[in-house]
Amino acid sequence: MATTSVVKSLYRRSLKLSQDWCIRRDIWRSQALNIRELFEANREVKEPRQLRVILQEAEEALERWKHPDPYRAPTAPGGSKYERNIPPPIIDPPVPLH
């Protein structure tokens, strides 16, 4: 179902966004449980219009809560070690002309 994949994506993005605000895993765990409760509260909603409204509100909430400077792993693109100490390019020696 398309709705299932949308909800799963929204859930994953919610968890990742909360990690941007709280890097310590022990504190983040309680936030993850709160996020899970929010999703579980609407689990039984089957009405398409009501579901669409709930998903739209969740998308808007994610946009509002977006971190201005999200956490990046040091070796990931945009991280502090990304492409550090890149080996110099290999230059072929010139070919002698005869």
Side-chain angles (χ1 to χ4, degrees), residues 7 11 32-47 50-51 54-55 57-58:
V7 172
Y11 181 66
L33 292 174
N34 289 337
I35 291 170
R36 180 63 182 229
E37 286 177 18
L38 292 172
F39 276 82
E40 288 292 332
N42 295 314
R43 185 182 192 119
E44 300 302 321
V45 175
K46 302 294 183 201
E47 174 68 32
Q50 188 179 7
L51 192 59
I54 292 171
L55 292 175
E57 288 174 355

Side-chain angles (χ1 to χ4, degrees), residues 8-21:
K8 286 179 182 180
S9 171
L10 188 61
Y11 181 66
R12 277 193 312 272
R13 289 185 292 144
S14 299
L15 291 176
K16 288 181 182 183
L17 180 82
S18 67
Q19 284 181 328
D20 287 341
W21 287 101

Side-chain angles (χ1 to χ4, degrees), residues 18 24 30 32 41 49-50 59 61 69-70 77-79 84 93 96:
S18 67
R24 283 189 48 195
S30 66
R49 290 181 183 150
Q50 188 179 7
E59 290 284 349
D69 187 22
R84 185 184 289 182

Side-chain angles (χ1 to χ4, degrees), residues 35-94:
I35 291 170
R36 180 63 182 229
E37 286 177 18
L38 292 172
F39 276 82
E40 288 292 332
N42 295 314
R43 185 182 192 119
E44 300 302 321
V45 175
K46 302 294 183 201
E47 174 68 32
R49 290 181 183 150
Q50 188 179 7
L51 192 59
R52 192 176 314 123
V53 169
I54 292 171
L55 292 175
Q56 182 63 33
E57 288 174 355
E59 290 284 349
E60 291 169 0
L62 280 183
E63 193 60 35
R64 281 193 314 269
W65 295 336
K66 191 179 285 188
H67 198 286
D69 187 22
Y71 176 76
R72 302 267 188 251
T75 55
S80 60
K81 289 184 174 181
Y82 184 66
E83 292 188 347
R84 185 184 289 182
N85 300 328
I86 297 176
I90 299 173
I91 300 175
D92 293 332

